[in-house]
Amino acid sequence: MLKKIIISFILIAIAGRVYAKEVEISVYSPVKITTSNLDLKEGDRIEFETVQDTYLNSKLYLKKDEKTLGVITSLEDNGFCCKEAAIYAENFRIKNVDGKTIKLNGIIYKKGRTHWMFTQFLPIIPELIRGGEVQITEKDRFNLYIEDNL
């Protein structure tokens, strides 16, 4: 029994070792992105900018306000019965201070409101209430990640 516990402890200690760390990059949209824009569709490029400078190993790696481009992979429209709209974007890329294109890990997901509070007081007609549109403004912050293999 003691042998199994010691072997389990050793395996957990070895498996828990991390060889790479992820560095968090906070981004925002410089322009308002909304699903009420009829020109917005799946496959469109979506642009964000970094919130602050990012340092790796005490060296500047990404500058503040550097453009980050991604792709809208899913776009759901709002509808009746309080169905809210949603945007799902991924495959983000950014250029570092050396001009090299870096892939960012992570997704950006936001959905509109369901207006569920109205249905509490109007139980007969929730089918007539439309869900909310997605509004991504400069105030919204999203986190993406780069992998530091050093």
Side-chain angles (χ1 to χ4, degrees):
M1 178 68 177
L2 182 62
K3 197 178 203 183
K4 288 181 182 180
I5 293 173
I6 293 172
I7 292 173
S8 298
F9 180 72
I10 291 171
L11 289 175
I12 290 172
I14 292 172
R17 189 164 239 181
V18 177
Y19 294 105
K21 65 178 182 175
E22 290 184 336
V23 178
E24 184 177 291
I25 308 295
S26 186
V27 296
Y28 71 97
S29 176
V31 296
K32 183 176 180 179
I33 299 170
T34 178
T35 54
S36 63
N37 179 0
L38 298 177
D39 295 330
L40 194 66
K41 58 189 175 298
E42 288 183 13
D44 283 352
R45 288 213 160 301
I46 192 168
E47 184 177 301
F48 288 85
E49 292 182 1
T50 56
V51 174
Q52 62 191 15
D53 290 339
T54 302
Y55 293 88
L56 264 175
N57 299 326
S58 302
K59 290 183 181 180
L60 181 64
Y61 192 69
L62 297 173
K63 293 181 184 176
K64 179 181 178 185
D65 297 328
E66 187 68 34
K67 291 188 188 330
T68 305
L69 295 174
V71 178
I72 297 175
T73 55
S74 178
L75 183 67
E76 297 177 16
D77 291 328
N78 64 333
F80 290 101
C81 295
C82 300
K83 182 186 177 298
E84 71 276 5
I87 289 180
Y88 183 88
E90 58 186 330
N91 301 329
F92 286 92
R93 304 219 181 266
I94 190 169
K95 288 193 178 193
N96 65 4
V97 292
D98 299 329
K100 183 179 175 188
T101 302
I102 306 297
K103 182 180 182 259
L104 297 176
N105 297 328
I107 60 168
I108 289 180
Y109 173 74
K110 188 163 183 187
K111 65 180 184 173
R113 297 178 181 256
T114 61
H115 305 305
W116 63 272
M117 292 187 76
F118 292 127
T119 60
Q120 291 180 14
F121 303 110
L122 304 169
I124 299 170
I125 54 169
E127 291 83 18
L128 301 177
I129 300 173
R130 286 181 61 92
E133 300 281 355
V134 173
Q135 307 287 331
I136 298 176
T137 63
E138 290 184 21
K139 296 177 185 177
D140 295 319
R141 300 290 189 257
F142 301 97
N143 294 323
L144 300 171
Y145 302 91
I146 58 173
E147 194 171 294
D148 178 17
N149 291 324
L150 301 176

